[in-house]
Amino acid sequence: GLAHELAALGIPEPDADAQIGYELGEQGWQAELAWPGRLVAVIGEEPSDEVASCIGAYTAAGWDARLARDWPPAELAGRIADVNGGGR
């Protein structure tokens, strides 16, 4: 859902500046999508203690990491647009 909404806002599929299946730190905290240059990550799983720990690890490292359903598409598009050549 989120990927389709981003596409509708003119954000292309992830490129070299974004990483699919990004892993943070030695624990390998998994994000579905991550834009390391913007410190933005989409965590694709349902809420659980482990997912909360994952989000906490990203947050502690200075990232804005949220569940996919918690990212307003327009806000995420604005955060990553510069990485993707202005989102055009």
Side-chain angles (χ1 to χ4, degrees):
L2 181 60
H4 292 288
E5 293 181 57
L6 290 174
L9 291 168
I11 300 298
E13 290 186 25
D15 58 17
D17 293 319
Q19 295 192 15
I20 298 171
Y22 184 83
E23 293 184 356
L24 177 72
E26 291 181 16
Q27 274 90 10
W29 295 109
Q30 183 81 34
E32 290 290 318
L33 294 171
W35 288 264
R38 305 298 282 168
L39 297 178
V40 175
V42 176
I43 310 299
E45 299 185 32
E46 291 300 312
S48 69
D49 290 341
E50 185 175 339
V51 169
S53 294
C54 178
I55 291 171
Y58 275 88
T59 301
W63 290 66
D64 189 351
R66 306 179 200 177
L67 294 172
R69 69 181 191 191
D70 293 339
W71 271 112
E75 180 183 350
L76 181 55
R79 296 285 302 274
I80 63 177
D82 289 337
V83 171
N84 287 301
R88 311 261 182 262

